[in-house]
Amino acid sequence: MTETHSAAPVSEDTATHEHGGPGGGAALALAALGVVFGDIGTSPLYALRTVFTIDGGIVKPIPEDVYGVISMMFWSITIIVSIKYVLVLMRADNNGEGGVMALAALARRLYAQRRGGATIFLVIGIIGVSLFYGDSVITPAVSVLSAVEGLGTAAPAVGHLIVPIAAVILVILFFVQRFGTGKVGTLFGPVMMLWFVVIALAGIPRIIEHPGVLQGLSPTWAIAFVFAHPLISFVAMGAVVLVITGAEALYADMGHFGRVPIRRAWFFVVFPALVLNYLGQAALVLEQPSATKDPFFLLFPNWAQLPVVVLATAATVIASQAVISGAFSLTRQAVQLGLLPPLTIRQTSKREGGQIYLPAVNLLLFIGVMAIMLAFRSSASLATAYGVSVTGALVTDTLLLLLVVKPLWNWSTWKLVVVAVVFGGLELTFLAGNLSKVLHGGWVPLLIALAVVTVMTTWRRGRQLVQDERRAREGSLAEFIEKVNAKGVPRVRGVAVFPHPNKETTPLALRANMEHNHVMHRRVIIVSVITANVPHVPHSKAFTRDDLGYADDGIDHVTVKFGFSDDQDLPHALHAACLSEVLDLDPDEMAEASYFVSRGALRPMRGNGGMVNWRKKLFVGLAHNAADPASRFGLPPQRTVTMGSDVEI
């Protein structure tokens, strides 16, 4: 059962999850290029093109507009990505884990003593992660399509094959997820390094030919553009936001590689390459206004365009990897916090706890991405659906940041005001600029987000109702033990382990075993699993034993605390409890223990209160498709028995 625990705030100077020395850091930085920066790193494929094609070309390829747009792009990347995410938010990690759910969990921990605070932060986290899922479905489709569409420029004769080629690429991408983020990053890292080198080199010659484009880096051009053309600049903001897509994924993927490798990769490789390429595209547009139709690919000579299409396709596959791995991380955090049903989670690295694979999430994302791509069939159409969920997620992160920095780092009021005005003001402008897209495809990510919110809130409420119903059926554990001791129930050899949420009520499987077999094992261990609001819990703090008031009846209660990023392997944890002498059992005897899981069928009852009927049916459907507790806790199949009775909600 998930509980919230108060813990000491994370220090601003605590080096959590930094990963390795110089050599290891360089390798992780390269791997991070292959996972973390794919989304934001491929924005040059479509960002500037979208600005000049939005609303039929309302932004013109003239110096005032071009410099104004480039200035808006540069300062958006600098303020939102470089300052907010890389320099500030990455310090507000939850013991090494990033993303909106980890940030919400950190906020809950910091405000644990305040009434109602935990629920508020949980709601904010649910909204943020739901918007991220909307982004996760659109990003792979728009990224891969935008690259393959380069065939229309390099080889127009095969333009009709764009959608089938993109579909094949996406099938391969989702198939390789099972091999793990680390292996994927090792494969993709060198490719992304080549990508950033190529896009930087593509921009440099144009900048040298037209050095005046560098003045677009001055914020005065963005300010002048806004004041001279307020309506046009507002519309343009709806497309400028494309340059910062992937910022939330960057933060969510922090648990995979650590903050230092990500910072190094950003400031030494990604950021300079993006700036050089955008400046090169701007110089090309000033020289050839017709280049607005595809400024990225037209940066390259004819002979290089086809190879660049191939490289761009590989890069956009990697862009999709950033949001997929981020979705895996956020989903596991949501499961551990009790917001989603238990799912099968496979650890894909023996060294990095953050490198995981979730088959169900991978399948759902694949279905969603393919449906979106086949429905819209072009990156230009998908661009209209892009941005709403991205900007919503950005605003959610800023809101949580404002809530945690005061207790976390003791920031003064003026700093909070600056953060609210600079980050929040810019992001709210982006959000307002994207709301006009809602009727033109922007409803898609919002619909996905609404579905995720519905699932999370339904699961959380239904889970509470089931727990209440089960407590009524389970009865007092103390009274059950007294009855067992009074009757002198026969004991048989061996150890029986009963996973159960608390020590107040009796596991249904324990009652059922007594009623049917009229015996008990020599040692009975009732185990409560708690998920703490931190990613990892060391063994020294993971176990608490309670003999339930009877020293010689062979019945113990043990609480095992896991972090929300820990692998919840119960037999391994109990073996460690024996080794640390929390349990006075021989580890070899524990290795032969039998496990009894309390699990009965759920039956939705009309008019039973608590939830409307359609939400009860949804909850029952989610529960039926949840991962088996035996599998989730790593219980040995040959020594695990499932027992219990039906539960009505």
Side-chain angles (χ1 to χ4, degrees):
M1 182 174 68
T2 302
E3 293 185 7
T4 302
H5 293 268
S6 177
V10 181
S11 169
E12 183 176 0
D13 300 320
T14 300
T16 56
H17 211 65
E18 297 297 344
H19 292 297
L28 279 170
L30 181 62
L33 284 177
V35 174
V36 176
F37 297 106
D39 189 4
I40 197 167
T42 54
S43 296
L45 282 165
Y46 48 80
L48 197 64
R49 180 188 68 190
T50 303
V51 171
F52 286 105
T53 57
I54 194 170
D55 279 11
I58 193 172
V59 181
K60 305 298 181 183
I62 58 177
E64 293 79 6
D65 287 12
V66 172
Y67 293 153
V69 166
I70 286 298
S71 181
M72 291 167 67
M73 286 182 163
F74 173 75
W75 286 102
S76 295
I77 297 173
T78 300
I79 294 172
I80 301 300
V81 185
S82 295
I83 299 177
K84 174 189 165 182
Y85 277 97
V86 178
L87 293 181
V88 178
L89 255 180
M90 279 193 165
R91 288 159 54 206
D93 65 287
N94 194 10
N95 286 16
E97 291 287 335
V100 66
M101 289 308 303
L103 191 58
L106 175 61
R108 291 175 70 197
R109 182 152 55 93
L110 293 171
Y111 289 88
Q113 305 305 320
R114 299 196 182 186
R115 185 177 180 182
T119 301
I120 294 172
F121 297 130
L122 205 59
V123 170
I124 297 173
I126 289 172
I127 294 172
V129 76
S130 300
L131 290 168
F132 181 82
Y133 281 120
D135 181 26
S136 299
V137 172
I138 292 182
T139 294
V142 71
S143 298
V144 173
L145 272 175
S146 64
V148 180
E149 284 170 352
L151 289 173
T153 300
V158 296
H160 63 286
L161 297 176
I162 289 174
V163 173
I165 292 173
V168 171
I169 291 169
L170 288 170
V171 169
I172 295 172
L173 170 66
F174 282 96
F175 176 78
V176 302
Q177 293 304 312
R178 67 192 64 205
F179 300 113
T181 306
K183 293 180 181 178
V184 171
T186 302
L187 174 65
F188 286 168
V191 177
M192 286 306 295
M193 175 62 81
L194 176 62
W195 167 257
F196 288 118
V197 169
V198 168
I199 67 172
L201 292 177
I204 291 173
R206 298 290 181 177
I207 298 172
I208 293 174
E209 292 174 9
H210 302 279
V213 76
L214 291 171
Q215 62 187 297
L217 299 181
S218 170
T220 57
W221 281 101
I223 296 170
F225 183 54
V226 170
F227 278 99
H229 309 286
L231 180 59
I232 294 175
S233 62
F234 181 74
V235 173
M237 289 289 278
V240 170
V241 72
L242 296 176
V243 302
I244 56 174
T245 57
E248 164 64 18
L250 177 154
Y251 181 44
D253 283 332
M254 185 171 65
H256 292 253
F257 300 100
R259 70 165 73 99
V260 169
I262 291 176
R263 283 176 175 168
R264 289 173 179 170
W266 172 254
F267 285 113
F268 291 115
V269 180
V270 182
F271 188 34
L274 291 176
V275 173
L276 289 172
N277 190 265
Y278 283 126
L279 288 172
Q281 290 189 47
L284 175 64
V285 168
L286 288 172
E287 180 186 355
Q288 304 174 25
S290 62
T292 55
K293 65 181 181 181
D294 200 350
F296 177 82
F297 285 106
L298 291 174
L299 271 180
F300 299 90
N302 292 336
W303 62 266
Q305 286 178 357
L306 192 56
V308 171
V309 169
V310 175
L311 178 60
T313 302
T316 53
V317 167
I318 297 165
S320 306
Q321 179 63 51
V323 293
I324 293 171
S325 56
F328 289 165
S329 296
L330 291 179
T331 301
R332 177 169 68 174
Q333 293 170 20
V335 169
Q336 302 287 51
L337 293 173
L339 300 175
L340 286 174
L343 300 172
T344 299
I345 300 175
R346 297 177 185 170
Q347 199 72 30
T348 59
S349 170
K350 294 181 179 179
R351 294 184 302 169
E352 301 300 330
Q355 296 185 11
I356 54 174
Y357 167 63
L358 283 74
V361 175
N362 194 60
L363 177 61
L364 289 174
L365 282 178
F366 171 70
I367 294 171
V369 168
M370 293 297 289
I372 289 290
M373 187 187 68
L374 295 176
F376 285 83
R377 303 187 70 82
S378 75
S379 62
S381 299
L382 274 169
T384 62
Y386 217 19
V388 179
S389 58
V390 174
T391 51
L394 296 178
V395 171
T396 302
D397 283 343
T398 297
L399 178 59
L400 286 170
L401 175 65
L402 289 170
L403 292 169
V404 303
V405 291
K406 181 72 173 179
L408 191 63
W409 302 326
N410 197 30
W411 274 20
S412 57
T413 302
W414 73 266
K415 286 185 178 181
L416 293 176
V417 172
V418 170
V419 168
V421 171
V422 177
F423 297 159
L426 182 57
E427 290 165 354
L428 287 172
T429 304
F430 278 136
L431 180 60
N434 278 275
L435 289 178
S436 61
K437 299 180 181 180
V438 171
L439 298 179
H440 303 284
W443 58 270
V444 173
L446 293 180
L447 182 62
I448 295 169
L450 178 61
V452 175
V453 167
T454 302
V455 167
M456 286 187 171
T457 55
T458 299
W459 178 258
R460 186 167 182 263
R461 177 57 179 157
R463 185 167 166 267
Q464 184 61 53
L465 292 175
V466 167
Q467 289 175 347
D468 293 343
E469 174 69 16
R470 284 186 55 170
R471 286 193 188 100
R473 293 182 176 224
E474 288 162 351
S476 167
L477 178 59
E479 293 178 2
F480 176 83
I481 294 174
E482 287 182 3
K483 186 181 297 185
V484 167
N485 290 335
K487 288 184 176 180
V489 175
R491 310 297 282 258
V492 296
R493 293 177 56 190
V495 179
V497 178
F498 295 85
H500 190 64
N502 58 71
K503 64 179 181 180
E504 286 75 34
T505 60
T506 310
L508 292 176
L510 179 57
R511 282 192 178 277
N513 188 43
M514 271 286 300
E515 291 171 0
H516 288 86
N517 299 318
H518 308 291
V519 295
M520 287 181 62
H521 287 74
R522 183 182 65 85
R523 290 297 300 270
V524 172
I525 301 174
I526 300 170
V527 184
S528 297
V529 174
I530 292 178
T531 302
N533 282 329
V534 294
H536 307 287
V537 176
H539 282 320
S540 60
K541 299 180 179 180
F543 311 112
T544 304
R545 176 181 172 273
D546 190 331
D547 64 9
L548 303 174
Y550 300 90
D552 58 352
D553 62 2
I555 303 176
D556 294 299
H557 176 268
V558 177
T559 300
V560 180
K561 186 185 296 184
F562 293 106
F564 60 70
S565 288
D566 288 329
D567 185 15
Q568 296 192 348
D569 187 329
L570 203 52
H572 177 76
L574 292 175
H575 185 267
C578 293
L579 292 176
S580 61
E581 299 183 352
V582 173
L583 282 172
D584 57 340
L585 270 172
D586 188 321
D588 292 335
E589 190 177 6
M590 177 58 71
E592 298 299 322
S594 298
Y595 294 84
F596 294 83
V597 177
S598 303
R599 195 181 192 190
L602 293 174
R603 300 185 183 278
M605 301 298 292
R606 184 176 295 274
N608 202 29
M611 281 197 304
V612 296
N613 291 324
W614 69 266
R615 292 188 73 191
K616 290 181 181 180
K617 292 178 180 178
L618 173 60
F619 175 78
V620 171
L622 291 170
H624 285 168
N625 289 281
D628 179 38
S631 174
R632 179 160 54 102
F633 291 132
L635 307 184
Q638 67 276 15
R639 289 185 281 112
T640 301
V641 179
T642 299
M643 306 178 73
S645 57
D646 294 351
V647 177
E648 297 176 352
I649 62 170

